[in-house]
Amino acid sequence: MGKREEEKRKKQQEKLEKELARLELMSTYEKEYASHRYICGIDEVGRGPLAGPVVAGAVVLPKDVTILWLNDSKKLSEKKRELLYDEIMEKAVAVGFGIVGPQRIDEINILQATYEAMRLAIAEVEKKLGQKPDILLNDAVTIPQVDILQVPIIKGDAKSISIAAASVAAKVTRDRLMAEYENVLPGYEFASNKGYGTKAHIEGLKKLGPTPVHRATFIKNFV
């Protein structure tokens, strides 16, 4: 092995060791609550957009799982999220999604709609497990009307592998939905802006008017 190859291999090994150490740190809560059989991470995406649903993900990972580069979905490229999504879906013990649409968001407000999406995601996980998760690790919130032990963690999607997995699963699911909306509702650039209030989106809104996937309570200033 040449000196250059040796240096390259050494750098790759150092990079891997650094990543494993980061994941170890992100497993602190999972280790703290390891006496619980099913630890379920919960996160949501889509609270702020003008259009589309709010989507919650709930993920139960195996105790000894390693998913390299898993992180808060906001810190990952779209390509990396897609790859991680496939790995999460393959390795997870159970994954659940809750999707609450614009009409419901307008009806009950975005915070309550977020809680509803989270409860739906938990219910799906419960169905797949055949029992309720033993504990929920939540990104910053305590979900009402849920009789499971909850641990709210500020910036949890960067501190817990379970929450990070839920974050990635929810983000990819919602992004795919928004890309599908663009196919049937062109003119708003949903595939690129994901329903957020970009310049192009607002211009489309003013020119074409709202669609059934727009949140009426969010677009009052633009139409």
Side-chain angles (χ1 to χ4, degrees):
M1 189 184 290
K3 190 176 179 183
R4 187 175 289 178
E5 286 82 3
E6 178 65 29
E7 283 178 3
K8 187 180 177 184
R9 191 194 63 78
K10 190 180 176 186
K11 279 184 180 176
Q12 285 175 338
Q13 186 61 31
E14 284 172 358
K15 190 178 179 184
L16 177 61
E17 285 172 7
K18 191 177 176 184
E19 172 60 11
L20 290 171
R22 187 189 68 84
L23 289 172
E24 183 75 15
L25 202 60
M26 277 185 74
S27 303
T28 303
Y29 289 96
E30 284 75 9
K31 285 183 168 59
E32 185 179 340
Y33 297 102
S35 59
H36 298 273
R37 185 181 178 192
Y38 293 126
I39 299 170
C40 184
I42 312 278
D43 201 7
E44 54 69 34
V45 65
R47 282 177 70 164
L50 307 180
V54 60
V55 176
V59 177
V60 177
L61 294 172
K63 296 281 186 184
D64 58 349
V65 75
T66 299
I67 301 176
L68 292 174
W69 318 115
L70 180 59
N71 207 338
D72 168 9
S73 65
K74 295 185 287 296
K75 296 179 179 177
L76 301 165
S77 67
E78 185 172 356
K79 186 180 178 184
K80 186 81 86 177
R81 284 195 301 266
E82 289 281 349
L83 291 169
L84 284 167
Y85 175 89
D86 291 341
E87 192 172 352
I88 290 161
M89 297 305 285
E90 182 189 322
K91 290 182 174 178
V93 177
V95 180
F97 296 101
I99 300 175
V100 175
Q103 286 74 30
R104 185 66 173 158
I105 291 168
D106 290 333
E107 185 185 332
I108 63 173
N109 81 43
I110 187 59
L111 180 61
Q112 296 309 316
T114 300
Y115 291 148
E116 191 166 284
M118 289 175 167
R119 288 192 291 266
L120 289 168
I122 296 162
E124 195 173 310
V125 163
E126 183 181 341
K127 195 174 176 183
K128 288 177 179 176
L129 292 175
Q131 68 161 78
K132 288 179 180 177
D134 298 299
I135 187 169
L136 306 177
L137 302 183
N138 305 341
D139 187 24
V141 299
T142 299
I143 310 158
Q145 300 163 43
V146 171
D147 59 349
I148 303 168
L149 177 62
Q150 300 184 56
V151 181
I153 303 165
I154 304 296
K155 295 193 181 341
D157 43 11
K159 294 178 183 174
S160 156
I161 55 169
S162 302
I163 299 175
S167 167
V168 170
K171 173 71 175 155
V172 171
T173 297
R174 189 178 185 281
D175 284 359
R176 289 177 179 177
L177 269 175
M178 295 311 296
E180 286 177 25
Y181 288 152
E182 176 154 338
N183 291 333
V184 291
L185 299 164
Y188 304 89
E189 298 191 11
F190 286 148
S192 60
N193 61 45
K194 320 303 183 200
Y196 283 89
T198 61
K199 186 182 177 186
H201 184 179
I202 291 163
E203 282 174 0
L205 197 52
K206 287 178 176 175
K207 182 181 174 185
L208 303 167
T211 70
V213 302
H214 279 99
R215 306 172 182 179
T217 52
F218 280 53
I219 59 170
K220 289 174 181 175
N221 295 335
F222 306 114
V223 291

